[in-house]
Amino acid sequence: MFTRREALLGVATAAMLSALPLTASPVLADEADALPRQTVALVPPPFVHDHEQVAIGGPKIVKFTMTIQEKQIVIDEDGTTFQAMTFDGSVPGPMMVVHEGDYVELTLVNPETSSLAHNIDFHAATGAMGGGELTLINPGEQTTLRFKATRAGVFVYHCAPGGPMTPWHVVSGMSGTIMVLPREGLKDEKGEPIRYDRIYYIGENDFYVPRDVDGNFKGYESAGDAYADTVEVMRGLVPTHVVFNGAKGALTGDNALTAKVGETVMIVHAQANRDTRPHLIGGHGDHVWEEGKFANPPARDLETWFIRGGSAGAATYTFLQPGLYAYVNHNLIEAIELGAAAHIMVEGEWNDDLMKQVDAPRPIASY
């Protein structure tokens, strides 16, 4: 007879989990347990929890808690609804920040109100499918995973319950980012320090919303009800929406990001499923970790950079002019038609030396 856990997870998966060690070796556990602990409350994107850019003291255990939420969200201005799966209720999931050598200790909660099993795969972690094999939990369960942050950079995390469930969960919103800063802080290609005044976190998602016979987007009572139709659309590899932070317009208009002339802003950009090409219209990437790994020197003065599917990148820019900037996926069809665009409103004084309208628009002169 199958247990309820085997029925939800699948017999093969449950057997795999039962064969895994439940704890680390006593020596390794004792070494980590002796470290100081810091509990961090996560915040919804595009914002990032308070953190030091240069580590203070030695390694520590940084404790986070995330609760899975299966929820309906609205993803465009037409009111299209989507049955999302989320970490902590946001698409993308919250960004975690630690320093190289720290231990990440995450308690993942899957409430009884969920209908599906979930887990978390950290691209920053080593072993056990990024932690996915040790964190697969049914509704009504929780688990705690600890891993050592051994590599500096920005990394994707996502749900990966196995088989066709993995892409479905990812494109349903279950991805996020962790940033592992070097203990001495960020450096440029010459080894000089780089600091940022603000940091924003953009998660780009491709959604695949089924349509009815009349071409209208369909709505569903639950994620499970949408599964068969959604997978059929997914297999066509043509998204109906490509959005920043969960919805078309989530970071534009009244929701625009803000900055001031003279401030250095870091933008962390993640895409767990498809390639993307971020571009700041009216600005540049002063320093860009296109592959997201801080052990490598940043590229300089990029106009557009490339984020591979399943990864995250980071860029800094010091704003020199006030006004409205658009930050887009420079596949402009996806930016303008499908929703992959954000706005940054910058305050400050205009510099005519950098740009000046020499002659206002007027009728063509005739001589």
Side-chain angles (χ1 to χ4, degrees), residues 37-48:
R37 285 170 162 75
Q38 177 187 9
T39 300
V40 173
L42 294 167
V43 301
F47 306 107
V48 181

Side-chain angles (χ1 to χ4, degrees), residues 177-345:
T177 304
I178 182 168
M179 180 164 73
V180 182
L181 288 167
R183 299 202 71 79
E184 68 279 8
L186 298 174
K187 300 291 181 66
D188 67 12
E189 72 284 0
K190 297 178 182 179
E192 296 297 322
I194 298 174
R195 293 189 63 86
Y196 46 88
D197 300 298
R198 300 177 190 241
I199 180 169
Y200 290 123
Y201 161 41
I202 293 177
E204 183 173 338
N205 287 84
D206 44 316
F207 292 141
Y208 301 80
V209 185
R211 298 179 187 266
D212 63 21
V213 293
D214 296 320
N216 301 311
F217 289 123
K218 297 173 68 173
Y220 299 87
E221 291 297 317
S222 69
D225 291 335
Y227 173 70
D229 291 346
T230 302
V231 168
E232 185 175 348
V233 179
M234 283 166 44
R235 287 173 178 165
L237 302 179
V238 179
T240 58
H241 300 71
V242 180
V243 301
F244 291 169
N245 289 36
K248 188 174 183 179
L251 300 176
T252 63
D254 293 340
N255 301 318
L257 309 175
T258 60
K260 296 179 181 179
V261 168
E263 287 186 332
T264 297
V265 177
M266 171 176 270
I267 299 176
V268 174
H269 192 123
Q271 225 299 10
N273 197 57
R274 298 171 80 239
D275 299 342
T276 186
R277 298 150 184 83
H279 173 81
L280 179 64
I281 302 177
H284 302 89
D286 287 343
H287 297 94
V288 181
W289 293 269
E290 198 173 43
E291 297 167 334
K293 304 306 165 273
F294 299 138
N296 304 324
R300 290 291 307 273
D301 304 328
L302 298 192
E303 55 181 320
T304 301
W305 43 103
F306 181 68
I307 307 295
R308 297 155 177 78
S311 69
T316 63
Y317 179 63
T318 301
F319 284 92
L320 303 176
Q321 294 278 43
L324 182 66
Y325 292 73
Y327 177 88
V328 300
N329 172 343
H330 213 291
N331 178 327
L332 295 177
I333 301 165
E334 296 184 349
I336 296 169
E337 296 290 338
L338 301 188
H343 289 161
I344 305 173
M345 181 59 72

